[in-house]
């Protein structure tokens, strides 16, 4: 049986010859290292792990082929040996990755392997497929492959020898040049001076050079002119703003909590701390420690406590009905995953549910790491009608004088609040009178018996003996009820529409959906004489001046239910199409305690009625399109009372309590009823007004606060119960805080808490943290990291293109006392960085993604930089730093959402043109132009943003109001520059592109 199936020996022989030619045609031109330099662990094993383990790894062996141990690699699978040492043309492995013989190309359902990777596999097989001797002693050995390169501590490599002289400026260039010479390539010439200035200014400050800075640099012919520019940029306060941007993606910084309500949070002080820490070049090890455990440092400063807000950036779920402890568990998961991603560059998150399939981390490792974060202080509370939430530590940041003022005002608040809460004899007597009058107010209503009922879309309405109407039959998404009733009551001042519970309704009603909810989108009332014609022409609408509902699931203006045009239901309701109107009266009947009747009271503009009797036509619309949310049972009543709203303020949930004798009320019922009375009685008006004024005075102080970590006062080792398959409800064995067993152990002098974890992360024995950190810096400057998958240094990540350079930079970072500025200076002053980015045809063919770095980087600016460059060129950009987030101009309607009435109010003055870093970041609705240019929502830690090229980006720059403002301002600067049209155009091009205009551009 051949690898190609039952095709016959002649066909196989012909195919072998053809495939040998094809093998060389497809892979022969790709650059590969010389045979003697191929290392199985470094070069071949990562290919198997990244591309093959999904189907042929430790947990799965399709076709009985396993590629996770040398013995199994030699043994092969059901089709025979996967490799023939010394003969790549005859090796099934090579045939399958090329898709020869009619079988599926491997890896299946994935991108084909690059030609260079296939060439590397062929070269290894042609050499004899050497693997570590101790692991290949027997062909049946199932010993695992040697440990992945990233888990070996980096050692400082020797600088490689090169033939070319005079190009290198520092050690970085030596590594790059050695690789280029091996690939028989040469570096590109240095970029033009104007290009170089723009490149390094954008990279180090995120802003373009000014025309004046460009002119000075071009006029400076000294040998160190460029280096002095670099030093100036590193010293600029704009440096911290530019480099805070990618860190805030890692920190998942935002100004809101995320999830359903996505309420605001105040944590901008953390953002400002990051900017300042970067500007003062806080060493990366200390930068790490303060963010992971700044609150736990001995005699922690205010700044160190603020820094601990790194892990308070996680989302907070305040959705109604959420389990606060489960919500906290999700936060702990986020903190664990983020820590592993940011400092270890691993996909440890995979081990939340099971042992990692590809990297040496177990589920126990995962929960041991999570336990470090499980000892933070938090409190969970359930708020009536406002969901459940948990709270962690908050730090007030006022001055001592602010704090004294706040304490004085807060004492007033506490005193007045206690005064209102105190039940005096006068208050008790007033409540008894109020309860009696509220019960008596029910007697002002007279039910009206329906004479005719009908509904649309198959709903059946049936009048009952008590004057109510029951709905049955179809339960469509769109329906309207129309009820006609006669009454002899004169001078009607108000109508009451009651939604009544009933045992026949789902969960007792009062609505018809599965939970007893209903949603009313409109109420219309028309009247006519009770005798004579009942045609629409003889009816007239009743005008109402107000409407009061006693319960609503969502914030809305009840008046939105009124003011509809009279007439039959719109065709959309009859035909079943969605018919939405602004505002709707919806109730949430999830809890059994909420089976009480609901009511809406409508107060007429003027008394109405006919001497011979009045015919009332009531129409109730359910046209929101929400499936089956019609009223289940309802009743119409009228009143002639001077004040139809008497007693209408009482919430529906308290009406049954009012009917209970005082002795039969539970403590909670009595307290709730008393609290409502005290909040509404005129007897306490002055105290309530004073309390409101005192609370406003506290709020007006506007003392900033920020979210911080705070450890429980516990001397026990932090622990947590492992969750089976990662599920919160499936509790397993308790594990105690500890670091992954595959990595270096904690030192004996390190405490087993968050502070110890922080110090463990930046321990010089950590094989990952230095590599991961420098790789991210490299990625920001060159568009891609030395490890392409900067979020994943594990076996499924991309292998480094320049392993020795990565290790050299990692060790150099530590040697330079973890100074980010020193490392960035080293990189941007290298000849590698200063190359022209012009792509020659040869480079486009050999290295289209510039992984070999034979030219300078060229890639699109990030979203925030696009806006900042436009503001800078226009002259609008405000230099103001720090402070609360601002609201630049954005298109209207972006923040319209059902769970929040929060509005985007555009900032005025300079705040309108603050740097993008300071823009308010709402997780469920980020700034739209940022999202168009590939920004993240910051719901979770993001290491690298995708880069796209879409028509929507061009449309944004053409139509976004912020782009219009910048364009107008650039035009104004051009006009103000004076001169003729060509000189003004030349000035505009210099503003925007940071170089002199070309004649063709001016034409």
């Amino acid at each position: 049986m051949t690898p190609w199936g039952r095709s016959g020996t002649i066909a196989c022989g012909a195919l072998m010859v053809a495939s040998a030619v094809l093998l060389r045609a497809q892979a022969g031109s790709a650059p590969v290292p010389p045979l003697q330099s191929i290392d199985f662990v470094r070069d071949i094993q990562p290919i198997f792990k990244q591309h093959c383990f999904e189907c042929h790894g430790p947990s799965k062996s399709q076709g009985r082929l396993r590629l996770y141990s040398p013995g199994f690699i030699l043994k092969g699978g059901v089709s025979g040996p996967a490799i023939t040492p010394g003969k790549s043309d005859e090796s099934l492995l090579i045939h399958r990755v090329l898709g020869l013989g009619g079988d599926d190309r491997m890896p299946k359902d994935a991108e084909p392997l690059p030609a260079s990777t296939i060439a590397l596999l062929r070269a290894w097989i042609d050499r004899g497929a050497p693997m570590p001797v101790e692991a290949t002693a027997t062909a049946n050995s199932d010993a695992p492959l040697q440990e992945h390169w990233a888990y070996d501590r980096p050692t400082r490599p020797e600088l490689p020898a090169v033939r070319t002289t005079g190009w290198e400026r520092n050690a970085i260039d030596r590594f790059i040049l050695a690789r280029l010479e091996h690939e028989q390539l040469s570096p590109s010439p240095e970029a033009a001076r104007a290009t170089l200035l723009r490149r390094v200014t954008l990279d180090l400050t995120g802003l373009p050079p000014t025309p004046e800075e460009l002119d000075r640099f071009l006029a400076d012919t000294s040998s160190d002119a460029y280096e002095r520019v670099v030093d100036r940029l590193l010293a600029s306060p704009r440096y911290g703003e530019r480099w805070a941007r990618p860190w805030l993606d890692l920190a998942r910084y935002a100004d809101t909590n995320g999830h359903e309500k996505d309420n605001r949070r105040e944590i901008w002080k953390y953002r400002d701390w990051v900017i300042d820490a970067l500007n003062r070049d806080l060493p990366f090890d200390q930068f790490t420690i303060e963010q992971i455990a700044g609150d736990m440092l001995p005699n922690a400063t205010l700044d160190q406590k603020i820094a601990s807000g790194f892990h308070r950036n996680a989302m907070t779920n305040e959705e109604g009905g959420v389990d606060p402890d489960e919500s906290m568990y999700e936060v702990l998961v986020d903190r664990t995953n983020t820590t592993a991603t940011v400092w270890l560059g691993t996909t440890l998150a995979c081990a939340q549910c099971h042992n990692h399939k590809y990297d040496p981390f177990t589920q126990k490792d995962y929960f041991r790491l999570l336990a470090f974060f499980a000892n933070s202080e938090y409190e969970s509370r359930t708020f009536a009608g406002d969901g459940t939430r948990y709270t962690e530590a908050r730090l007030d940041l006022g001055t001592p004088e602010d704090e004294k003022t706040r304490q004085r005002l807060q004492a007033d608040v506490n005193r007045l609040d206690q005064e209102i809460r105190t039940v005096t004899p006068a208050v008790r007597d007033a409540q008894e009178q109020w309860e009696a009058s509220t019960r008596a107010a029910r007697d002002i209503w007279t039910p009206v018996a329906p004479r005719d009922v009908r509904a649309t879309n198959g709903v059946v309405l049936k009048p009952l003996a008590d004057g109510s109407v029951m709905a049955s039959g179809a339960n469509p998404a769109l329906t309207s009820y129309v009820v006609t009733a006669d009454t002899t009551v004169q001078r009607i001042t108000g109508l009451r529409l009651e939604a009544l519970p009933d045992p026949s309704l789902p969960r007792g009603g009062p609505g018809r959906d599965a939970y007893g909810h209903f949603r009313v989108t409109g109420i219309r009332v028309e009247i006519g004489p009770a005798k004579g014609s009942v045609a629409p022409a003889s009816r007239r609408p009743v005008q109402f001046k107000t409407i009061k509902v006693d319960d609503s699931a969502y914030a809305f203006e009840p008046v939105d239910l009124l003011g509809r045009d009279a007439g039959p239901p719109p065709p959309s309701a009859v035909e079943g199409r969605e018919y939405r109107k602004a505002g709707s009266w919806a109730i949430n009947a999830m809890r059994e305690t909420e089976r009480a009747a609901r009511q809406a009271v409508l107060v007429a503009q003027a008394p109405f009625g006919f001497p011979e009797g009045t015919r009332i036509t009531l129409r109730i619309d359910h046209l929101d399109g929400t499936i089956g949310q019609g009223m289940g049972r309802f009743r119409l009543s009228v009143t002639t009372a001077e004040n139809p709203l008497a007693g209408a303020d009482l919430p529906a949930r308290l009406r049954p309590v009012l009917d209970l004798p005082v002795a039969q009320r539970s403590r909670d019922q009595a307290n709730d009823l008393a609290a409502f009375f005290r909040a509404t009685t005129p007897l306490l008006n002055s105290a309530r007004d004073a309390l409101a004024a005192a609370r406003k005075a506290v709020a007006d102080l506007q003392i900033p606060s920020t979210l911080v970590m705070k450890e429980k006062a516990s001397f026990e080792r932090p622990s947590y119960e492992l969750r089976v398959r990662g599920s919160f409800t499936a509790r397993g064995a308790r594990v105690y805080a500890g670091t992954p067993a595959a990595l270096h152990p904690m030192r004996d002098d390190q405490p087993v808490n968050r502070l110890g974890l922080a110090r463990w992360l930046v321990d010089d024995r950590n094989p990952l943290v230095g590599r991961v950190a420098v790789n991210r810096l490299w990625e920001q400057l060159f568009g891609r990291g030395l490890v392409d998958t900067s979020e994943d240094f594990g076996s499924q990540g991309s292998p480094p293109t320049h392993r020795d350079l990565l290790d050299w930079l990692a060790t150099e970072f530590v040697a330079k006392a973890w100074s980010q500025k020193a490392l960035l200076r080293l990189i941007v002053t290298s000849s590698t960085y200063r190359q022209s980015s012009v792509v020659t045809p040869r480079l486009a063919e050999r290295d289209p993604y510039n992984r070999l770095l034979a030219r300078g980087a060229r890639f699109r600016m990030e979203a925030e930089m696009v806006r900042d460059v436009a503001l800078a060129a226009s002259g609008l950009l405000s230099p103001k730093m720090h402070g609360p987030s601002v609201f630049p101009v954005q298109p209207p309607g972006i923040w319209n959402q059902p769970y929040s009435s929060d509005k985007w109010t555009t900032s005025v003055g300079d705040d309108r043109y603050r740097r993008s870093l300071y823009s308010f970041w709402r997780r469920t609705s980020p700034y739209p132009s940022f999202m168009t240019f590939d920004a993240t929502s910051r719901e979770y830690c993001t290491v690298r943003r995708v880069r796209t090229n879409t028509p929507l980006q061009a449309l944004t720059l053409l139509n976004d109001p912020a782009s219009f403002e910048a364009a107008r301002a650039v035009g104004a600067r051009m006009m103000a520059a004076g001169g003729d049209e060509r000189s003004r155009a030349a000035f505009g091009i210099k503003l925007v592109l940071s170089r002199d205009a070309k004649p063709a551009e001016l034409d």
Side-chain angles (χ1 to χ4, degrees):
M1 176 99 166
T2 70
W4 309 283
R6 299 179 180 87
S7 52
T9 55
I10 295 178
C12 288
L15 187 56
M16 282 286 271
V17 175
S19 66
V21 175
L22 184 60
L23 290 174
R24 291 183 173 85
Q26 292 191 5
S29 63
V32 296
L35 292 182
Q36 63 271 18
S37 67
I38 296 177
D39 179 81
F40 175 79
V41 173
R42 181 191 65 201
D43 302 319
I44 306 301
Q45 176 181 309
I47 299 174
F48 290 157
K49 285 189 173 183
Q50 181 179 1
H51 300 288
C52 309
F53 272 22
E54 183 69 25
C55 300
H56 306 289
S59 61
K60 189 185 295 185
S61 57
Q62 290 190 0
R64 299 181 187 174
L65 174 62
R66 309 178 190 181
L67 296 176
Y68 70 90
S69 78
F72 286 129
I73 292 172
L74 292 173
K75 184 178 180 180
V78 294
S79 296
I83 61 173
T84 304
K87 300 178 180 180
S88 62
D89 293 350
E90 300 177 11
S91 294
L92 179 59
L93 176 69
I94 302 300
H95 298 156
R96 294 307 299 273
V97 298
L98 289 174
L100 301 177
D103 287 324
D104 291 332
R105 176 192 48 76
M106 295 296 165
K108 191 175 182 180
D109 300 327
E111 291 296 320
L113 296 184
S116 58
T117 300
I118 297 173
L120 187 60
L121 290 171
R122 290 188 63 246
W124 169 66
I125 295 172
D126 287 336
R127 186 185 174 191
M131 288 177 276
V133 175
E134 63 276 12
T136 56
T138 171
N140 293 319
S141 171
D142 62 355
L145 295 171
Q146 186 170 329
E147 192 56 83
H148 186 56
W149 65 269
Y151 305 123
D152 289 335
R153 182 180 176 184
T155 57
R156 192 176 183 86
E158 296 292 332
L159 298 184
V162 294
R163 297 187 299 274
T164 305
T165 60
W167 182 74
E168 63 181 275
R169 282 187 168 90
N170 58 38
I172 293 172
D173 300 328
R174 181 77 70 87
F175 290 102
I176 299 300
L177 185 57
R179 179 68 182 276
L180 292 177
E181 289 181 344
H182 172 71
E183 302 289 344
Q184 299 181 349
L185 294 172
S186 300
S188 297
E190 184 167 302
R193 284 171 64 83
T195 300
L196 193 57
L197 179 67
R198 180 178 173 86
R199 179 189 300 173
V200 74
T201 306
L202 286 172
D203 277 343
L204 294 184
T205 68
L207 299 174
T210 65
E212 295 75 19
E213 290 169 344
L214 176 61
D215 291 340
R216 284 198 301 270
F217 180 63
L218 295 179
D220 190 346
T221 58
S222 59
S223 60
D224 64 343
Y226 176 75
E227 285 74 9
R228 286 190 283 107
V229 165
V230 171
D231 291 337
R232 172 177 61 81
L233 297 174
L234 290 171
S236 167
R238 307 303 157 206
Y239 164 86
E241 292 177 323
R242 182 265 181 271
W243 287 93
R245 204 289 303 153
W247 188 261
L248 295 181
D249 273 4
L250 297 174
R252 64 270 192 247
Y253 167 84
D255 294 293
T256 61
N257 292 332
H259 293 293
E260 179 195 51
K261 291 182 176 61
D262 200 22
N263 290 329
R264 298 194 190 198
R265 62 169 49 162
E266 190 174 29
I267 195 172
W268 52 265
K269 266 293 187 180
Y270 167 78
R271 177 243 292 145
D272 290 353
W273 178 88
V274 172
I275 296 170
D276 293 339
L278 291 169
N279 273 333
R280 70 177 190 267
D281 200 21
L282 183 68
F284 185 74
D285 57 345
Q286 190 65 21
F287 186 70
T288 295
I289 291 170
E290 293 188 12
Q291 291 186 86
I292 297 292
D295 59 303
M296 300 181 70
L297 289 169
N299 303 314
T301 66
L302 182 63
D303 274 354
Q304 288 170 337
K305 293 177 182 178
I306 293 172
S308 73
F310 175 86
H311 271 318
R312 290 302 311 282
N313 282 307
M315 292 198 296
T316 303
N317 191 348
E318 294 181 350
E319 184 178 353
V322 71
D323 182 336
D325 294 326
E326 183 174 10
S327 180
M328 186 63 188
Y329 167 69
E330 297 299 335
V331 169
L332 297 180
V333 166
D334 175 89
R335 289 171 182 171
T336 306
N337 298 347
T338 299
T339 301
T341 299
V342 173
W343 281 277
L344 302 178
T346 70
T347 55
L348 185 69
C350 297
Q352 177 188 348
C353 304
H354 50 73
N355 293 343
H356 204 296
K357 292 185 177 182
Y358 307 112
D359 290 312
F361 304 118
T362 66
Q363 192 182 22
K364 185 177 180 181
D365 284 334
Y366 183 90
F367 281 94
R368 281 160 57 89
L369 191 63
L370 182 146
F372 281 108
F373 303 105
N375 203 42
S376 61
E377 270 192 5
Y378 86 99
E379 176 187 8
S380 62
R381 293 180 61 192
T382 300
F383 297 84
D386 195 26
T388 308
R389 68 189 71 151
Y390 74 89
T391 57
E392 291 186 89
R394 181 186 301 271
L395 183 65
D396 288 330
L397 301 171
T399 64
E401 292 73 19
D402 289 337
E403 183 59 23
K404 289 180 181 178
T405 303
R406 188 193 67 79
Q407 289 180 359
R408 176 176 55 79
L409 293 174
Q410 188 61 45
D412 291 341
V413 169
N414 296 341
R415 175 180 55 78
L416 291 166
D417 186 53
Q418 184 59 41
E419 179 181 331
I420 292 174
R421 289 172 181 272
T422 301
V423 182
T424 64
V427 170
R428 185 182 298 107
D429 292 343
Q431 180 174 341
E432 291 177 357
Q433 296 173 15
W434 167 77
E435 290 186 20
S437 64
T438 302
R439 283 190 291 268
R442 300 172 185 173
D443 298 334
I444 68 175
W445 295 102
T446 301
V448 291
R451 68 184 305 274
D452 181 63
V453 293
R454 57 189 173 89
T456 60
N457 291 341
V459 178
V460 177
L461 299 182
K462 178 183 178 182
L464 302 181
D466 64 351
S468 65
V469 179
M470 176 68 74
S472 61
N475 194 16
L478 303 166
T479 186
S480 292
Y481 301 167
V482 180
V483 177
T484 303
D486 291 346
T487 181
T488 58
V489 176
Q490 301 293 311
R491 296 188 58 78
I492 299 170
T493 56
L495 299 179
R496 181 179 68 179
L497 176 62
E498 294 175 278
L500 305 171
D502 191 275
S504 67
L505 295 172
R507 298 196 178 187
R512 298 192 68 199
D513 91 336
Y515 300 99
H517 307 337
F518 68 77
R519 186 185 296 260
V520 173
T521 59
I523 300 174
R524 309 183 189 197
V525 178
E526 294 177 336
I527 58 171
K531 297 180 181 179
S533 174
V534 293
S538 67
R539 302 198 302 257
R540 63 178 174 85
V542 178
Q543 301 298 321
F544 295 97
K545 60 184 177 182
T546 188
I547 178 173
K548 176 73 176 180
V549 300
D550 62 358
D551 181 30
S552 179
Y554 306 110
F556 85 111
E557 293 295 334
V559 73
D560 286 340
L561 297 175
L562 306 176
R564 315 292 193 208
D565 292 333
S572 55
V574 178
E575 297 170 8
R577 295 197 300 269
E578 188 173 351
Y579 177 71
R580 291 184 180 274
K581 288 290 186 179
S584 60
W585 176 29
I587 64 108
N588 184 335
M590 286 290 290
R591 291 189 289 269
E592 291 299 324
T593 56
E594 296 185 352
R595 295 299 159 210
R598 270 63 164 196
Q599 68 179 26
V601 176
L602 293 76
V603 181
Q605 289 278 12
F608 63 88
F610 295 90
E612 66 274 26
T614 303
R615 178 157 297 172
I616 300 173
T617 301
L618 167 70
R619 175 174 152 192
I620 307 169
D621 287 335
H622 308 93
L623 302 176
D624 179 75
T626 306
I627 295 176
Q629 287 204 348
M631 279 187 171
R633 183 183 170 201
F634 61 95
R635 180 170 56 200
L636 178 66
S637 302
V638 298
T639 185
T640 59
E642 183 178 349
N643 178 22
L645 294 178
D649 283 338
L650 186 66
R653 63 184 176 84
L654 294 180
R655 201 176 301 123
V657 179
L658 195 66
D659 292 333
L660 291 173
V662 174
Q664 295 181 20
R665 297 171 185 172
S666 69
R667 176 179 297 180
D668 288 343
Q669 289 174 329
N671 289 340
D672 287 347
L673 190 63
F676 175 78
F677 170 75
R678 291 194 300 270
T680 57
T681 177
L683 185 66
L684 297 174
N685 276 349
S686 59
R688 286 199 305 271
D689 291 345
L691 177 60
R695 285 174 171 162
K696 183 178 184 300
V698 173
D700 287 345
L701 284 177
Q702 294 185 333
I703 298 175
S705 64
T706 193
L707 307 180
V708 296
M709 297 288 284
K710 185 178 181 181
E711 199 78 349
K712 292 178 183 175
S714 172
F715 297 100
E716 297 181 0
R717 184 176 181 177
S719 63
Y720 203 77
E721 288 177 316
L722 184 144
R723 295 310 199 256
V724 179
R725 300 184 66 83
S727 172
F728 171 73
T729 57
R731 296 173 182 265
R734 180 167 293 276
V735 297
Y736 291 87
T739 55
L743 299 177
H744 60 291
M746 294 184 73
R747 297 186 186 275
D748 293 338
D749 60 347
Q750 290 174 347
V752 186
N753 54 27
R754 270 190 296 116
L755 182 57
L757 174 66
R759 289 171 174 160
W760 173 85
L761 287 171
V762 291
D763 192 306
D764 58 9
R765 298 171 299 160
N766 188 333
L768 291 162
V769 64
R771 288 169 170 150
V772 170
V774 301
N775 190 69
R776 283 198 300 262
L777 299 182
W778 189 275
E779 181 179 64
Q780 289 295 315
L781 299 175
F782 290 94
R784 64 178 68 245
L786 295 170
V787 173
D788 224 0
T789 53
S790 50
E791 72 284 354
D792 183 9
F793 274 56
S795 62
Q796 295 296 288
S798 300
T801 57
H802 299 74
R803 164 77 182 278
D804 288 345
L805 174 57
L806 179 66
D807 285 356
W808 188 89
L809 287 170
T811 56
E812 182 71 6
F813 192 28
V814 178
K816 290 185 178 298
W818 300 91
S819 168
Q820 178 171 302
K821 285 188 176 183
L823 192 68
L824 287 173
R825 189 184 194 282
L826 183 71
I827 297 173
V828 301
T829 56
S830 68
S831 293
T832 301
Y833 176 83
R834 294 163 69 163
Q835 294 178 97
S836 167
S837 59
V838 174
V839 184
T840 65
R842 187 185 183 206
L843 281 179
E845 179 183 3
R846 288 288 305 278
D847 188 21
Y849 298 108
N850 198 33
R851 289 186 170 93
L852 299 176
L853 296 166
R855 59 175 174 86
R858 51 189 299 165
F859 55 93
R860 169 166 289 164
M861 294 184 289
E862 61 196 21
E864 294 89 341
M865 199 180 291
V866 170
R867 176 176 176 271
D868 291 347
V869 166
L871 288 176
S874 68
L876 294 173
L877 183 66
S878 168
K880 182 180 176 182
M881 296 179 66
H882 304 134
S885 296
V886 296
F887 299 84
V889 62
Q890 74 171 9
I894 302 296
W895 271 21
N896 290 347
Q897 59 175 338
Y899 300 112
S900 173
S901 59
D902 201 3
K903 301 296 181 185
W904 179 284
T905 302
T906 303
S907 298
V908 298
D910 284 353
D911 282 350
R912 185 185 183 101
Y913 306 112
R914 294 280 303 278
R915 194 160 180 181
S916 298
L917 181 77
Y918 301 108
S919 296
F920 191 93
W921 205 284
R922 183 168 204 152
R923 285 182 160 117
T924 57
S925 182
Y927 194 63
S929 69
F930 292 170
M931 299 305 288
T932 302
F933 284 94
D934 308 320
T936 170
S937 67
R938 298 232 175 108
E939 293 174 285
Y940 300 99
C941 170
T942 303
V943 177
R944 55 178 175 141
R945 296 179 178 180
V946 299
R947 287 196 188 92
T948 62
N949 187 2
T950 69
L952 188 58
Q953 293 164 347
L955 290 171
T956 296
L957 295 180
L958 287 170
N959 294 285
D960 190 278
S963 298
F964 267 90
E965 288 192 358
R968 281 194 293 265
V970 168
R973 292 189 73 181
M974 292 168 64
M975 296 302 294
D980 59 16
E981 286 186 355
R982 291 182 68 86
S983 63
R984 288 198 297 268
F987 179 68
I989 288 174
K990 195 171 188 178
L991 278 176
V992 175
L993 300 181
S994 308
R995 61 167 172 79
D996 291 329
K998 300 174 183 178
E1001 293 170 334
L1002 292 179
D1003 293 340

